[in-house]
């Protein structure tokens, strides 16, 4: 019994700091201490500068022979494609046609860049950051392409230029950070100590600032006013997908840090970027916002339970 309590306490020490910052963001927004202007500016700073710096530093300090796992990358890609296809097939039978694209995107596209990476850092330290950063490069490319495909399928008359989409992916600051960092790590190029220290100061802004912004962007009013199919999409994202994909990974022989890292990425709440893409294509943006809010609020429970199960069974 004492062993279970110790494991549960360790699990809470891993997940609570992350979700406490999200709930703090909700509170600060309700108090009026942060507003939409702050959230927009801070989110842009994180996306364009501090998060790429965090990923870059984590990778250049890593031993690629220990963190670059081709099998894990291939499995994550296959699992993403499978979960995307399964959610789409389900939506065809259960969801009104106009809402299917929004439903599917919400059901598979996780906020791995912030929540997933923060949890990985708390649970696995430098390995979580470096291996998570490499996995993040694959996530960004696959999530963006699949989201465009499913959203355009149900938005007649709307078009998204393929070349523009590919250019946006190539110019994504996180992709650039990964591409630049890998040669540094592979060739073991070291930067001056003062550069590393300054970079670490700057990168340390990332997770608390980003998590506050996620909390500040959550709309409790939107959830109360209209949930609809958003609840079904949230269940897919927070329960069905992480359970099915993590179980499949275990059956294929993944365990330890690799299995735990993939679970944290699979179990991350729906990415805020999904709302931006839906709004740009004229989809049901209220539903997209509801999915983000529902998954963000429930993640504190589902992720904690998942980590506890992995820890108690010795799998993660």
């Amino acid at each position: 019994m004492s062993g279970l309590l110790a494991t549960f306490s360790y699990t809470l020490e891993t997940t609570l700091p992350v979700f406490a910052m999200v709930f703090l963001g909700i509170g600060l927004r309700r108090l009026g201490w942060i507003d939409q202007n702050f959230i927009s500016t801070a989110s842009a700073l994180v996306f364009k500068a501090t998060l790429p710096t965090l990923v870059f530093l984590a990778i250049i300090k890593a031993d690629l022979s220990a963190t670059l796992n081709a099998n894990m990358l291939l499995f994550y890609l296959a699992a993403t494609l499978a979960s995307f296809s399964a959610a789409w097939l389900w939506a065809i039978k259960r969801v009104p046609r106009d809402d299917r694209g929004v439903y599917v995107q919400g059901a598979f596209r996780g906020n791995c860049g912030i929540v997933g990476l923060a949890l990985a850092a708390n649970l696995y330290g430098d390995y979580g950051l470096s291996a998570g950063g490499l996995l993040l490069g694959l996530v960004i490319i696959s999530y963006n392409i699949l989201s465009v495909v499913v959203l355009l399928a149900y938005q007649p008359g709307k078009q998204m230029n393929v070349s523009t989409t590919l250019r946006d992916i190539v110019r994504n600051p996180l992709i650039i950070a990964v591409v630049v960092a890998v040669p540094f790590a592979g060739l073991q190029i070291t930067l001056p100590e003062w550069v590393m220290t300054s970079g670490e100061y700057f990168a340390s802004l990332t997770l608390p600032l980003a998590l506050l912004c996620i909390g500040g962007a959550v709309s409790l009013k939107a959830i109360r006013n209209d949930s609809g199919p958003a609840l079904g999409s949230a269940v897919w994202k927070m329960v069905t997908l992480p359970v099915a994909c993590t179980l499949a990974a275990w059956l294929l022989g993944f365990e330890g840090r690799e299995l735990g890292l993939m679970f944290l990425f699979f179990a991350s709440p729906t990415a805020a970027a999904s709302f931006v893409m839906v709004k740009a294509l004229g989809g049901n943006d209220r539903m997209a916002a509801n999915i983000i809010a529902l998954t963000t609020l429930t993640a504190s429970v589902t992720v904690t339970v998942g980590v506890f199960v992995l820890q108690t069974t010795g799998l993660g």
Side-chain angles (χ1 to χ4, degrees), residues 234-256:
V235 171
W236 260 97
K237 184 68 196 72
M238 302 313 300
V239 180
T240 307
L241 188 154
V243 170
C245 292
T246 306
L247 178 60
W250 174 68
L251 291 173
L252 288 174
F254 289 97
E255 58 184 14

Side-chain angles (χ1 to χ4, degrees), residues 53-86:
T53 302
L54 178 69
V55 170
F56 175 80
L57 293 178
I59 293 175
I60 68 171
K61 291 188 294 183
D63 177 4
L64 287 186
S65 64
T67 57
L68 181 55
N69 187 329
N71 289 333
M72 182 175 71
L73 295 177
L74 288 172
F75 173 81
Y76 196 93
L77 178 59
T80 297
L81 293 172
S83 58
F84 169 78
S85 302

Side-chain angles (χ1 to χ4, degrees), residues 206-266:
T206 302
L207 299 179
L209 194 58
L211 293 169
L212 284 176
C213 289
I214 289 173
V218 168
S219 173
L220 300 178
K221 181 180 179 181
I223 296 175
R224 289 195 299 267
N225 288 347
D226 176 30
S227 57
L231 181 59
S233 181
V235 171
W236 260 97
K237 184 68 196 72
M238 302 313 300
V239 180
T240 307
L241 188 154
V243 170
C245 292
T246 306
L247 178 60
W250 174 68
L251 291 173
L252 288 174
F254 289 97
E255 58 184 14
R257 298 181 301 181
E258 289 80 13
L259 184 64
L261 176 62
M262 285 194 288
F263 165 75
L264 294 175
F265 272 45
F266 287 133

Side-chain angles (χ1 to χ4, degrees), residues 66 68 70 95 98 115 236 294 302 313:
L68 181 55
V95 181
D98 290 346
V115 179
W236 260 97
L294 284 167
T302 56
T313 56

